[in-house]
Amino acid sequence: MEVLGIDIGGTGIKAAIVETKTGELISKRHRIDTPKPATPEAVAKVVKEMVSYFNWKGIVGCCFPTIVVDGKCKHPGNLSEQWVDVKIDKLFKKTCEGLPFYVSNDADLAGLAEIKLGAGKNSNGKVFVITIGTGIGAGLFYNGKLIPNVELGRIYHTDGEIIEKFAADSARKRDGLSLKQWAERFDLFLIHIKTIHTPKLFILAGGISKKFKEFKGHLTVDVPIKVAKFKNNAGIIGAALYAKKKH
Ligand code: BGC
């Protein structure tokens, strides 16, 4: 089945048509900057633009970069306060002339793609799929089953500051860190997660996961680590798988 997968991120909104059996992208990816401020109205406008770009008339799966419960946003994340309590799926459906939308947290959906078809296929026990980008997202799977909205990036690091502000890729850019300096920060995050969760496996996703070979030597955490098979397309693919399952 073909589904349009849309990945709404803090800095970019990316989409492609996905064949849900294989997770293959059967169109080119299209990217539009996330509007600033990223209000519901402004983001919905970009989603509509995306749907028109692909001339899409079918079902749509959508990753959203904050806490989502039953299609409803529960936290502003790195977007806007105005999102809290918005039924995201309903808003996008209304904006896109009635197309069915299925929306969930971005890391949970990227994780779904990796666990079903990617680096976490056939894994068991506790597995974290960690997305590294503007924020740090976490999809937790136990014996292949998703436990949603785990929000590891929002653990406090110091002085009331959440850890993604210290260890996300946006922190590397903001503070002008070398890959080694950033990886040392990220390692502290992984070590902390190991202490409180003892996972069997970490799967890293997001743009910087493409550089894993260059930074893995700076990670000391004693847990096996894999790179997401679908790299930064994992969200788009997971969103499509999710929509197909829910429809
Ligand atoms: C949000 C998460 C999200 C992550 C990655 C965090 O700021 O709280 O819900 O998964 O960013 O986008």
Side-chain angles (χ1 to χ4, degrees), residues 22-24 110 113-114 116-121 203-205 209 226-234 237:
T22 57
E24 197 189 336
E114 291 300 326
K116 296 281 172 229
L117 301 169
K121 212 172 152 185
I203 298 173
L204 305 185
S209 65
K226 286 187 180 175
V227 182
K229 175 179 173 192
F230 300 116
K231 305 281 187 325
N232 49 348
N233 286 333
I237 297 165

Side-chain angles (χ1 to χ4, degrees), residues 64-67 75 77-78 105-107 131 135-138 151 154 164:
F64 202 72
T66 74
I67 304 165
H75 193 278
N78 296 310
N105 173 263
D106 55 359
T131 65
I136 292 182
E151 293 295 321
R154 293 198 171 264
E164 71 175 24

